[in-house]
């Protein structure tokens, strides 16, 4: 298998999986919270929050990456604070690639979870509240089980999006082999050198297989959870 793709290309695949998994898992709690806030709460600035969540879908990815560099770079306000206080450096590190992937995938996650929450009858939550359950208990025992298919769908869609992220990632963390070179960056790099087209095409095949596998897994898991919830 190493001969078929090459050591550098397999490192890019492994790094992409690492970045995507961390990006998805770390953003999931915030994604659920934001989706619930947008679906159930009415507060000043709600539309602004909704716009900020979906902004990465509208902006060119390079712009998002540049904004990340200005904010989380070593000279940026957040990046300088993280480095001086905790020794954390995000720019030109794989952790920065995970941050960029999480931000680009966040809108898809929030959208899927929000639609699932809006499909739940609020009267079910209100009924649990009248029995004395706290809002957190109501969410954990009533809302979360009902929206679980949507949460799983949003999680896997976000993972697939993170796997394919390129523009924001290469702008924020560059294309360093073994450190920040994910599959899309590796494909781009191989296409720039003579004779690299074959390896690039093989990486494309790997990308398609991983993306299709994620989508099929999303469908299978969502249907299984939905059947279990309905008692079928």
């Amino acid at each position: 298998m190493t001969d078929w793709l090459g050591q550098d290309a397999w490192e890019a695949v492994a790094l992409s999986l690492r970045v995507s998994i961390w990006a998805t898992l770390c953003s999931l709690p915030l994604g659920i919270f934001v989706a619930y806030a947008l679906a159930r709460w009415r507060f000043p600035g709600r539309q602004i929050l909704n716009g900020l969540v979906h902004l990465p879908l509208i902006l060119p990815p390079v712009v998002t990456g540049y904004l990340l560099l200005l904010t989380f770079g070593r000279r940026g306000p957040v990046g300088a604070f993280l480095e001086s206080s905790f020794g954390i450096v995000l720019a030109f590190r794989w952790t920065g690639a995970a941050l960029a992937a999480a931000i680009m995938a966040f809108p898809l996650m929030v959208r899927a979870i929000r639609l699932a929450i809006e499909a739940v009858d609020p009267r079910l939550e209100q009924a649990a509240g009248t029995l004395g359950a706290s809002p957190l208990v109501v969410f954990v025992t009533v809302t979360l089980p009902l929206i679980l298919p949507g949460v799983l769908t949003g999680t896997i869609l976000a993972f697939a999006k993170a796997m394919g992220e390129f523009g924001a990632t290469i702008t924020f963390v560059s294309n360093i082999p073994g450190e920040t070179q994910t599959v899309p960056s590796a494909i781009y790099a191989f296409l720039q050198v003579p004779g690299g087209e074959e390896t690039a095409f093989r990486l494309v095949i790997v990308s398609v297989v991983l993306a299709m596998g994620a989508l099929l897994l999303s469908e299978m898991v969502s249907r299984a959870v939905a059947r279990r919830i309905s008692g079928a």
Side-chain angles (χ1 to χ4, degrees):
M1 291 295 290
T2 303
D3 294 337
W4 180 76
L5 195 58
Q7 184 64 33
D8 291 342
W10 279 121
E11 286 182 359
V13 173
L15 181 61
S16 283
L17 291 171
R18 182 184 184 187
V19 164
S20 301
I21 290 172
W22 276 102
T24 304
L25 293 180
C26 290
S27 60
L28 181 58
L30 180 61
I32 294 175
F33 176 79
V34 172
Y36 188 86
L38 293 174
R40 288 286 190 260
W41 298 345
R42 297 295 179 266
F43 54 91
R46 178 173 173 271
Q47 292 304 320
I48 295 177
L49 175 61
N50 186 52
L52 289 175
V53 167
H54 291 89
L55 198 59
L57 291 179
I58 303 170
L59 288 175
V62 173
V63 174
T64 303
Y66 181 62
L67 292 175
L68 286 173
L69 189 60
L70 290 178
T71 305
F72 293 95
R74 288 189 167 182
R75 296 183 179 179
V78 179
F81 171 76
L82 290 175
E83 184 176 8
S84 61
S85 301
F86 306 102
I88 299 174
V89 178
L90 295 175
F92 309 107
R93 300 288 192 274
W94 77 267
T95 49
L99 175 63
I103 289 176
M104 295 302 296
F106 195 67
L108 296 178
M109 176 186 290
V110 171
R111 183 67 176 171
I113 299 173
R114 179 182 176 181
L115 290 174
I117 294 173
E118 290 175 343
V120 175
D121 190 345
R123 290 175 296 182
L124 296 174
E125 298 168 326
Q126 294 168 2
T130 58
L131 296 176
S134 66
L136 180 59
V137 172
V138 171
F139 177 79
V140 173
T141 59
V142 178
T143 310
L144 186 58
L146 294 175
I147 68 170
L148 193 55
V151 172
L152 293 173
T153 299
T155 300
I156 297 177
L157 286 177
F159 172 82
K161 173 63 177 176
M163 280 290 297
E165 166 51 32
F166 174 70
T169 301
I170 200 171
T171 305
F172 181 39
V173 299
S174 189
N175 187 9
I176 306 171
E179 179 64 36
T180 65
Q181 188 177 76
T182 57
V183 169
S185 301
I187 293 173
Y188 175 79
F190 280 117
L191 289 176
Q192 306 307 307
V193 298
E197 294 86 354
E198 184 177 352
T199 303
F201 180 72
R202 290 176 179 177
L203 274 174
V204 169
I205 295 175
V206 173
S207 299
V208 172
V209 170
L210 289 175
M212 287 299 298
L215 291 175
L216 291 175
L217 178 63
S218 173
E219 287 292 323
M220 293 170 57
V221 172
S222 296
R223 290 180 181 179
V225 173
R227 285 197 301 267
R228 184 173 181 180
I229 292 175
S230 63

